[in-house]
Amino acid sequence: MNNIENIVKERTCTGCGTCYSICPVSCIAIEENVKEGIFLPSIDMEKCTDCGLCIKVCPQTDLIKNEFLNKEQFYGKSLLNFYGYSENKNIRYDSSSGGLITSLAIFSLKNRLVDGVIAVRSKSDNPLRFESIICRTEEDILSSRGSKYCPVSVNTILKNIVEEDKKESTYMFIGLPCHLKGLDKFTSIYPELENKIKYKMALFCSHISNYHGTEFILKKWRISLTNVNKLRYRGNGWPGAMSIIEKNGQETSIYSGTYWGKYFANYFFTPKYCFLCDDFFGLESDISFGDAWLDKFNEDKEGVSLGIVRSDKGKKLMMECKENKAIFFDELSKKEIEKSQYGQVLFKNILFPDRKRVLLKLPLRQKIHLSFKCYNKFMIFNSYLSGKKMFKSLLIIFPDFIEKLYFKILNKIKTLLMKKNSSL
């Protein structure tokens, strides 16, 4: 069949939703796979015309063809490297890391540079699930700010954009690298979208967690899933905390280093497709943003972003926002950007060819250092373990000293492997 059936079957699908938006006969639905905690397309074979459009726009179809990228290629085009933050103190403090994207989005909407901002927020009927929306007001944008460490089929919104009546409308698109890659392929089929999507904003992304990860954290902190009224993964300064408000008004704050640093950063609950991605910096964007993991920013608890401007229009937008005192930014060296994300780049890019070989069962095409192989298998094994019901149950009931010992050993192994692979 000339469709994405095999990509879904092999679990290389990112669940981005691009195939849903491109299908001319609406035979593709994006549904949550409850067992795996991810979104996957389902195809109505009786309606499918075998047109092949879903394959053409899928960001994963060229996965096997991808060869090892050199340092310049995985960093991408750069007109400006920067650090900065929102000049609005509330936005800066309440966002994940500095609030730059939020302020850029609000500025663009207020000054009619765009008619809408494509972003993500929690569903009105389920605070533990998220969906893409078109923000038309400042309030919409504020309700969607902050990181979402879970699957979201952002590109399902492209169907609405293509089918809308107002062809002159323009948008800012905020997404992960896989979403932008799907958008880029979608635009190759609908070139008129090139003018409609005026700005493309990417978040640096090493991986996400499946929905079981969020559910595990809630259970670990003894919070009933059915009692959650609101959940935010980041906010309240930097590096922030997960905030959970229950229906009775009780609020629980879980420091990001406690849940992300322990579980998510060690690739527990990571979907297979995240291991098969080599785009950390958001190469298809006009501007990409990440956390400022540098010593000189460690004492700044209000939040600082750093990032890469890749296009002239992205640079112009940054300058206009700065001149209007919506944001502050200053230049940062490329070396500092790389240093701030060293561990992620090591895993995401340097070790990608071997990880792809292991997961896709491809032949060995180049010599791989033994420590590279160990590091890859170590992280993949963590993901495998966290998919086991018994292991998740043990993690929840482990006494503190056993859990501390487990993570102490785990982090020593990880640190040792990173030191051996320290030549970026």
Side-chain angles (χ1 to χ4, degrees):
M1 294 291 290
N2 190 26
N3 59 37
I4 54 170
E5 186 177 19
N6 284 336
I7 290 170
V8 175
K9 183 179 178 181
E10 294 297 322
R11 293 302 186 266
T12 59
C13 169
T14 67
C16 68
T18 314
C19 57
Y20 162 85
S21 290
I22 201 70
C23 183
V25 293
S26 300
C27 75
I28 297 176
I30 305 295
E31 300 173 342
E32 182 179 346
N33 182 302
V34 177
K35 183 179 179 181
E36 299 177 43
I38 59 176
F39 287 111
L40 291 171
S42 64
I43 307 168
D44 185 339
M45 293 300 185
E46 291 185 2
K47 292 173 65 177
C48 179
T49 61
D50 210 26
C51 68
L53 287 176
C54 57
I55 283 286
K56 289 181 181 179
V57 301
C58 177
Q60 297 294 76
T61 51
D62 55 357
L63 183 61
I64 295 178
K65 298 176 186 176
N66 286 352
E67 298 298 331
F68 179 77
L69 298 177
N70 63 42
K71 189 174 178 180
E72 293 302 316
Q73 287 174 308
F74 62 65
Y75 183 81
K77 180 182 178 181
S78 168
L79 299 183
L80 171 70
N81 304 303
F82 66 87
Y83 74 92
Y85 47 81
S86 172
E87 290 281 22
N88 182 306
K89 291 185 178 181
N90 291 330
I91 291 176
R92 182 180 180 186
Y93 185 78
D94 289 340
S95 300
S96 294
S97 55
L100 271 184
I101 297 181
T102 300
S103 286
L104 286 167
I106 291 173
F107 178 85
S108 299
L109 204 58
K110 278 187 172 181
N111 290 275
R112 299 184 179 179
L113 301 178
V114 296
D115 300 295
V117 176
I118 297 167
V120 171
R121 71 179 177 192
S122 59
K123 291 187 174 183
S124 57
D125 60 345
N126 188 347
L128 300 180
R129 295 295 182 268
F130 295 80
E131 63 184 352
S132 57
I133 63 162
I134 299 176
C135 301
R136 305 284 186 182
T137 66
E138 180 176 347
E139 290 70 28
D140 287 342
I141 294 171
L142 291 174
S143 71
S144 66
R145 64 184 161 182
S147 302
K148 282 81 179 177
Y149 298 133
C150 60
V152 187
S153 299
V154 174
N155 290 7
T156 55
I157 204 74
L158 297 179
K159 193 178 187 72
N160 302 57
I161 302 297
V162 169
E163 293 176 350
E164 69 174 2
D165 293 329
K166 295 182 179 180
K167 294 185 179 181
E168 71 279 4
S169 296
T170 58
Y171 301 91
M172 174 183 287
F173 183 100
I174 304 170
L176 301 180
C178 57
H179 300 137
L180 268 76
K181 190 174 180 181
L183 171 63
D184 185 61
K185 289 195 167 190
F186 190 94
T187 306
S188 70
I189 306 298
Y190 285 99
E192 62 269 27
L193 213 64
E194 188 70 42
N195 294 323
K196 293 179 74 65
I197 306 295
K198 190 173 180 180
Y199 302 110
K200 295 180 287 186
M201 306 296 185
L203 304 167
F204 292 179
C205 181
S206 61
H207 62 289
I208 63 161
S209 162
N210 60 37
Y211 277 118
H212 296 320
T214 301
E215 292 164 1
F216 165 80
I217 299 299
L218 295 175
K219 289 177 182 178
K220 181 77 174 176
W221 268 261
R222 295 177 172 81
I223 299 170
S224 170
L225 304 184
T226 57
N227 285 338
V228 176
N229 187 51
K230 185 178 180 181
L231 180 145
R232 289 189 65 204
Y233 288 93
R234 294 274 298 278
N236 299 322
W238 190 87
M242 178 186 284
S243 173
I244 305 104
I245 300 176
E246 298 181 61
K247 292 177 180 176
N248 62 5
Q250 181 175 336
E251 183 171 0
T252 302
S253 184
I254 307 171
Y255 176 61
S256 62
T258 304
Y259 79 90
W260 174 269
K262 270 189 179 182
Y263 307 106
F264 294 176
N266 286 306
Y267 289 83
F268 290 107
F269 310 105
T270 300
K272 178 181 177 180
Y273 59 77
C274 285
F275 288 113
L276 293 169
C277 171
D278 62 351
D279 185 357
F280 173 76
F281 287 111
L283 304 182
E284 306 294 339
S285 64
D286 293 301
I287 315 174
S288 55
F289 304 81
D291 284 303
W293 296 109
L294 291 169
D295 291 342
K296 64 182 181 181
F297 298 125
N298 282 347
E299 299 305 315
D300 189 322
K301 301 305 179 184
E302 290 185 278
V304 177
S305 297
L306 49 75
I308 306 165
V309 178
R310 305 187 186 280
S311 70
D312 290 328
K313 62 182 177 181
K315 187 174 182 178
K316 182 181 178 183
L317 176 62
M318 291 281 289
M319 295 301 296
E320 287 182 9
C321 284
K322 184 177 182 179
E323 289 168 3
N324 284 273
K325 301 189 183 306
I327 65 170
F328 166 83
F329 75 89
D330 204 352
E331 289 196 47
L332 198 66
S333 71
K334 182 178 177 182
K335 187 175 182 180
E336 287 179 293
I337 297 280
E338 293 171 347
K339 182 180 179 182
S340 75
Q341 310 296 330
Y342 165 69
Q344 311 298 351
V345 172
L346 168 67
F347 186 75
K348 192 84 169 181
N349 297 106
I350 305 296
L351 307 188
F352 175 69
D354 177 63
R355 195 165 59 251
K356 183 173 68 171
R357 178 186 65 83
V358 171
L359 291 170
L360 298 182
K361 298 179 174 59
L362 301 175
L364 181 63
R365 295 179 181 174
Q366 63 187 77
K367 188 176 181 180
I368 303 291
H369 194 280
L370 178 61
S371 61
F372 279 25
K373 295 179 180 179
C374 292
Y375 195 14
N376 269 326
K377 289 183 178 178
F378 176 66
M379 294 304 185
I380 293 170
F381 183 66
N382 281 348
S383 175
Y384 170 78
L385 270 182
S386 61
K388 300 299 178 182
K389 189 174 181 179
M390 181 178 291
F391 182 77
K392 284 186 285 189
S393 299
L394 286 173
L395 273 181
I396 290 173
I397 64 174
F398 269 166
D400 286 344
F401 77 92
I402 294 180
E403 186 181 87
K404 285 179 181 178
L405 178 62
Y406 176 84
F407 281 104
K408 186 176 181 180
I409 294 170
L410 185 152
N411 286 324
K412 278 194 172 183
I413 295 171
K414 182 178 176 181
T415 301
L416 179 65
L417 290 170
M418 285 186 69
K419 283 182 178 178
K420 285 188 175 183
N421 302 324
S422 61
S423 57
L424 190 60

